[in-house]
Amino acid sequence: MIDAYDDYLQVGSVAEVTGPGNRWFEADPEPSLAPPAGRVLGGESRLELRTDRAATRLRLVKVRNALVLPGRLIVNTANDRLLYDALREPVRSGDQLDARTRERLHPLALDRQLDSDRLVRLPGQTFCLAVRTTRQPFLLLEGLSQLWPAAELDMSQMHVAVNPMPGLDDLLAPFGIAPERIVELTSAPVLCEELLLATPAVVLPRRLSPRFWDVMGRLRDAYPPPPDAPRRVYLSRAAAEERVLLNEPEVEELFRGHDFDVVADRELHGAELVRRVGAAEWIAAPVGAGVGTAFAPLGVRRIVLAPDLYDTPLETLLGVEHGPLHLYGRSLATVPKAAAVEDWSIDPEIVGGALEDLFGGERRGAAVVPAEDDRGGSRRWRGRALERLRRGREARAAASPIEVEVAVPTDVPPEALFALLDDLRAFTRAEPRLQETAWEPDAGVQPGARAHLETSVAWVLGLAPLIGRPEATVVVEEVERPSRLCLGVEAPVAHAGVQIDVTAAGSGHVVRARASVQLAGIAAVAPLDRGVRRAARRYAAPSLNRVVHSFIAQARERVQAA
């Protein structure tokens, strides 16, 4: 069940891998390097964080007729075996794979993928940058770290298969990859004539190869910081929807007072992110926002703000010359698993005192985080945090829209897709006021019938179980492009912008749908807003994916009918 390259030709360099037939290259083993030591600046953690690193050994493999499935499941179709380097953690026996993976690798399941109408075929050579999960640290670190062989390869004529992420064109351009060669992986299976797959140079939370810094250095060289780039940066998580730092505005002001440039981590992508942190000597961030520090110079100092029951070894893993400096606050959770999503706060006196110690000025006194057995102090802390939660929840909900995007490749002729967009434009102009009666995403859009666009927004965000099926006004935003449809949706619970694009990719096209939704009315009021946003995070992408597939299916039926 595992293809360990036993019958492949092993070569002595990265460049030789591109020769004929199935080939593989294995670099010399790299010992685990001891991370630089960090220290606690203030507060107290109730966790024992493991910060050691594991040894790495990098490989590059090329295989003909490889099938790429969601979740970085990559199969050699000649023997129906999973490529060894498709796994984040190495195993040698199929018995070590989980039951769901073994089920997906069954020959009948693979045959269904190969016979699927959604199968995308990529000619020539394709370099794979897929990751198993689409969370931001994995996309940026594990995804980009697979580019370590690029120093010895000409990638200008290769397709690059990659999970969608903001700023993708910028991040791949320094490696000679043009936008038209990028193939965004979605739920559709992809069959590659020749696939190159590299071991990630970073595997969170414990593996990091020095070759990762070569990749980051190439990005920094391509996007040098401007002369006025900040030397101190604070990456804010003010727009976060989980594990919110309740008094972050107050914390931000403390950092501004010490010449930190405060930026929202979700507002910086691609070249802009690389340039903004490219000259940084200090970067501070709440735990979860520190992934952007990977683009900073190797000598950067990191300040990590974290709740007492949640932390990650990311900043320690990324340390080259200096270990992280920690400031701990208090989580509203009582167990570590809940602390991963629960809101928290930090005593501003602890933050301010630590900054004065680091950057000069007299320390005005620091309050000590209550010990675990100081029940009275803990209750006072929790009471202040809950009060901040009540004061700030509605303002944050109003300020941070819910964003979701999916992209689905298709071989349907673009003219049929454009015609269906025209039908939606015409229908919406004729009947802007819509009310749901009976609609499901899989039913598709029937030309001349009710489109029920406002309900698609509710399903896209996973809100339908919570808010029912409200009336909405849908208005077409005029765009002089047949390949794009923009809609504005006003409903009692949300205001939304929906955009559908058809773009060329490889030998076919990609239908990309984006929704940006601002909660309104009762949905934006605590505590309902938290439930709405969590439901949206869970159901958004799968629901929007169904909507886009039903759109493509309707276009395909038109072509077949004609």
Side-chain angles (χ1 to χ4, degrees):
M1 190 166 284
I2 305 294
D3 190 341
Y5 323 136
D6 295 331
D7 57 349
Y8 293 25
L9 176 64
Q10 184 171 5
V11 296
S13 69
V14 166
E16 293 177 80
V17 172
T18 58
N22 293 347
R23 298 178 170 222
W24 71 297
F25 163 78
E26 187 170 50
D28 293 334
E30 299 171 352
S32 59
L33 301 176
R39 62 189 175 96
V40 177
L41 295 178
E44 180 182 357
S45 174
R46 290 187 277 170
L47 296 174
E48 290 188 10
L49 186 65
R50 184 176 181 180
T51 58
D52 60 310
R53 295 174 178 169
T56 58
R57 188 155 193 178
L58 302 181
R59 288 170 294 277
L60 176 67
V61 59
K62 186 189 66 116
V63 58
R64 292 185 55 81
N65 298 319
L67 180 65
V68 181
L69 301 175
R72 204 170 185 263
L73 206 65
I74 305 172
V75 179
N76 180 353
T77 58
N79 56 22
D80 288 348
R81 291 184 176 183
L82 179 70
L83 296 188
Y84 179 75
D85 282 288
L87 299 163
R88 292 184 72 244
E89 295 297 333
V91 301
R92 287 290 181 179
S93 168
D95 295 338
Q96 296 175 270
L97 300 175
D98 61 88
R100 174 58 181 152
T101 298
R102 293 199 300 270
E103 180 181 319
R104 295 176 65 193
L105 292 174
H106 191 280
L108 293 178
L110 296 175
D111 287 345
R112 285 195 295 271
Q113 297 286 0
L114 292 169
D115 294 338
S116 170
D117 292 338
R118 300 166 53 211
L119 180 70
V120 177
R121 298 177 182 270
L122 294 180
Q125 291 187 340
T126 300
F127 197 96
C128 184
L129 296 181
V131 295
R132 276 191 174 272
T133 174
T134 56
R135 294 179 69 89
Q136 190 76 351
F138 297 90
L139 288 174
L140 283 177
L141 299 184
E142 294 194 9
L144 293 179
S145 75
Q146 295 172 80
L147 285 167
W148 61 265
E152 302 175 51
L153 293 175
D154 178 9
M155 302 185 67
S156 62
Q157 299 305 310
M158 297 181 186
H159 290 102
V160 175
V162 60
N163 301 84
M165 74 174 84
L168 191 56
D169 292 359
D170 289 347
L171 295 173
L172 297 184
F175 302 91
I177 302 165
E180 61 270 18
R181 309 295 296 181
I182 298 173
V183 179
E184 293 187 347
L185 297 170
T186 60
S187 59
V190 179
L191 183 63
C192 304
E193 182 179 353
E194 290 190 332
L195 180 78
L196 280 80
L197 177 67
T199 311
V202 173
V203 178
L204 299 175
R206 296 180 57 235
R207 299 179 190 274
L208 187 144
S209 163
R211 297 197 189 208
F212 171 69
W213 300 118
D214 298 335
V215 176
M216 296 295 103
R218 191 160 174 175
L219 287 168
R220 284 195 299 273
D221 292 343
Y223 304 115
D228 60 346
R231 296 304 190 262
R232 300 175 183 176
V233 177
Y234 178 90
L235 298 175
S236 170
R237 292 188 77 244
E241 297 167 2
E242 63 183 19
R243 207 172 58 257
V244 174
L245 176 53
L246 299 172
N247 59 333
E248 188 158 22
E250 188 176 1
V251 171
E252 291 174 3
E253 287 304 314
L254 291 172
F255 278 93
R256 285 192 181 97
H258 290 275
D259 298 325
F260 277 75
D261 184 45
V262 177
V263 294
D265 70 321
R266 298 192 182 189
E267 294 178 0
L268 293 179
H269 305 292
E272 185 182 4
L273 173 60
V274 179
R275 291 190 180 103
R276 182 64 68 92
V277 303
E281 298 170 358
W282 287 86
I283 296 182
V287 62
V291 63
T293 67
F295 301 102
L298 299 184
V300 70
R301 302 295 299 265
R302 296 174 173 86
I303 301 175
V304 184
L305 290 76
D308 55 348
L309 279 175
Y310 179 80
D311 204 350
T312 74
L314 174 62
E315 285 76 12
T316 301
L317 185 69
L318 294 177
V320 177
E321 299 178 10
H322 305 286
L325 306 175
H326 275 87
L327 289 166
Y328 287 106
R330 175 72 68 168
S331 175
L332 297 180
T334 57
V335 294
K337 185 175 182 179
V341 297
E342 194 60 75
D343 298 343
W344 64 289
S345 61
I346 191 168
D347 192 326
E349 292 186 2
I350 289 179
V351 178
L355 293 178
E356 289 168 359
D357 284 350
L358 289 171
F359 303 111
E362 293 186 3
R363 181 171 180 170
R364 290 187 287 270
V368 178
V369 176
E372 189 171 0
D373 60 352
D374 182 4
R375 301 186 184 276
S378 297
R379 284 195 295 271
R380 289 193 296 275
W381 181 289
R382 195 176 300 265
R384 292 197 301 271
L386 288 172
E387 179 59 29
R388 294 189 185 103
L389 173 61
R390 285 190 289 269
R391 290 200 307 266
R393 176 72 69 185
E394 188 169 357
R396 284 198 311 276
S400 56
I402 303 170
E403 307 279 353
V404 61
E405 175 180 343
V406 300
V408 180
T410 178
D411 57 358
V412 173
E415 295 77 13
L417 301 170
F418 298 164
L420 199 51
L421 291 178
D422 280 338
D423 279 349
L424 288 173
R425 288 190 190 94
F427 174 76
T428 306
R429 289 193 190 99
E431 194 174 351
R433 184 74 177 175
L434 303 173
Q435 185 172 2
E436 169 59 13
T437 53
W439 185 90
E440 291 293 338
D442 293 329
V445 178
Q446 299 177 3
R450 304 182 65 82
H452 307 310
L453 296 176
E454 85 294 347
T455 307
S456 73
V457 173
W459 276 100
V460 161
L461 295 170
L463 306 183
L466 295 172
I467 63 177
R469 295 171 173 175
E471 293 186 354
T473 300
V474 183
V475 179
V476 175
E477 299 175 14
E478 299 300 334
V479 179
E480 295 295 328
R481 291 177 62 178
S483 62
R484 173 173 293 178
L485 172 65
C486 294
L487 303 167
V489 183
E490 296 286 333
V493 295
H495 311 302
V498 180
Q499 179 175 304
I500 303 174
D501 280 292
V502 179
T503 56
S507 57
H509 283 74
V510 171
V511 178
R512 179 177 284 102
R514 301 180 180 90
S516 177
V517 179
Q518 188 72 59
L519 298 181
I522 188 66
V525 177
L528 182 60
D529 65 323
R530 168 177 282 186
V532 168
R533 288 177 179 277
R534 286 185 174 171
R537 286 196 301 273
R538 181 174 181 181
Y539 297 111
S543 296
L544 185 55
N545 199 49
R546 290 195 296 270
V547 172
V548 174
H549 277 296
S550 64
F551 174 87
I552 293 173
Q554 183 64 40
R556 191 184 303 277
E557 289 178 8
R558 283 187 160 207
V559 174
Q560 294 171 348

